[in-house]
Amino acid sequence: DAKTTQPTSMDCAEGRAANLPCNHSTISGNEYVYWYRQIHSQGPQYIIHGLKNNETNEMASLIITEDRKSSTLILPHATLRDTAVYYCIVRSTQYGNKLVFGAGTILRVKS
Amino acid sequence: GAVVSQHPSRVICKSGTSVKIECRSLDFQATTMFWYRQFPKQSLMLMATSNEGSKATYEQGVEKDKFLINHASLTLSTLTVTSAHPEDSSFYICSATRPQGRSYGYTFGSGTRLTVV
């Protein structure tokens, strides 16, 4: 399974863009990058996923580098409700397409 | 769309008893369901992968006789914690997956807080 590396924690001012980086240097060509977040004592919430092109939806944008070894999740206008643990996951294409979670990044949005 | 219901949300049981947790995909048929466990201030740990009509595949170190998984239909998987002990107290989360374009969508339940006393 491709491993991911994320900063342990980050702070962001309310209303500003939050840029969360993720390194996945061992990713293989057909493995997708998924982003989820988890607010305390809830199940993970899907944010976005992509293969090699940049993606955008109503929640966020995902920027994947050309070599696919890293990506950045962008929350364009962070609010206090975006405070959560954000997980970057590379989906395994072997062994049942499972999602294996790393430690994630604790994002604190501050007013 | 893509809603996963997990029940119960909280359960307290006595040591030695068994507890069943249900995971249902409400508006789609899940090709595969996954079960995770999460201890306080830790990440989610994958316990097992469950496919309808076949035996679950357990991750290394997870006792299959202790954590019984039944996946009777494409919309329901159950996890039974047998002979529960206080160290089994944890937050259990299920996930259901379905094909989505060229990839897969993964939807998580809201979790079950198990406390064994």
Side-chain angles (χ1 to χ4, degrees), chain A residues 1-98:
Chain A
D1 296 346
K3 301 264 187 240
T4 61
T5 304
Q6 297 179 254
T8 303
S9 65
M10 294 180 65
D11 291 340
C12 177
E14 188 179 20
R16 304 298 294 268
N19 297 284
L20 290 88
C22 179
N23 285 320
H24 31 78
S25 58
T26 59
I27 194 170
S28 62
N30 57 352
E31 290 182 318
Y32 281 76
V33 179
Y34 285 75
W35 282 83
Y36 281 79
R37 71 181 182 184
Q38 187 180 28
I39 296 169
H40 183 62
S41 293
Q42 297 182 23
Q45 177 189 23
Y46 169 79
I47 301 173
I48 201 166
H49 75 284
L51 182 62
K52 54 183 178 181
N53 297 322
N54 296 338
E55 302 287 345
T56 295
N57 62 20
E58 65 277 5
M59 287 183 69
S61 295
L62 174 61
I63 309 298
I64 302 175
T65 58
E66 192 169 341
D67 62 8
R68 300 187 70 241
K69 293 184 176 182
S70 65
S71 60
T72 300
L73 177 74
I74 302 172
L75 307 178
H77 306 286
T79 71
L80 297 178
R81 288 183 295 180
D82 292 322
T83 293
V85 180
Y86 287 76
Y87 296 100
C88 168
I89 306 164
V90 172
R91 192 204 78 192
S92 169
T93 53
Q94 299 176 319
Y95 314 119
N97 292 312
K98 56 191 178 185

Side-chain angles (χ1 to χ4, degrees), chain A residues 32 34 36 38 41-44 49 87 91 96-99 101-102, chain B residues 34 36 38 43-44 46 59 91 93 102-104 106 108-110 113:
Chain A
Y32 281 76
Y34 285 75
Y36 281 79
Q38 187 180 28
S41 293
Q42 297 182 23
H49 75 284
Y87 296 100
R91 192 204 78 192
N97 292 312
K98 56 191 178 185
L99 290 185
F101 284 72
Chain B
F34 302 90
Y36 295 83
Q38 186 175 33
S43 184
L44 285 75
L46 180 65
E59 295 297 306
F91 192 50
I93 308 168
R102 292 186 177 182
S103 61
Y104 287 85
Y106 297 78
F108 287 79
S110 54
R113 176 77 57 192

Side-chain angles (χ1 to χ4, degrees), chain B residues 12-110:
Chain B
I12 300 173
C13 72
K14 293 184 177 181
S15 287
T17 63
S18 296
V19 173
K20 179 184 286 188
I21 302 169
E22 289 190 350
C23 180
R24 293 180 184 272
S25 55
L26 298 185
D27 50 2
F28 66 98
Q29 293 185 326
T31 51
T32 305
M33 288 186 173
F34 302 90
W35 287 96
Y36 295 83
R37 179 169 53 180
Q38 186 175 33
F39 293 107
K41 297 187 177 181
Q42 294 186 22
S43 184
L44 285 75
M45 185 192 78
L46 180 65
M47 298 175 68
T49 301
S50 171
N51 291 294
E52 184 259 344
S54 62
K55 290 184 178 181
T57 302
Y58 291 82
E59 295 297 306
Q60 192 172 7
V62 178
E63 301 174 60
K64 62 180 181 180
D65 293 331
K66 179 156 188 69
F67 299 99
L68 300 180
I69 293 172
N70 183 276
H71 196 153
S73 75
L74 286 172
T75 60
L76 174 64
S77 177
T78 61
L79 168 69
T80 301
V81 182
T82 63
S83 186
H85 291 284
E87 57 265 30
D88 298 323
S89 298
S90 188
F91 192 50
Y92 292 87
I93 308 168
C94 71
S95 171
T97 187
R98 70 217 179 275
Q100 185 176 352
R102 292 186 177 182
S103 61
Y104 287 85
Y106 297 78
T107 305
F108 287 79
S110 54

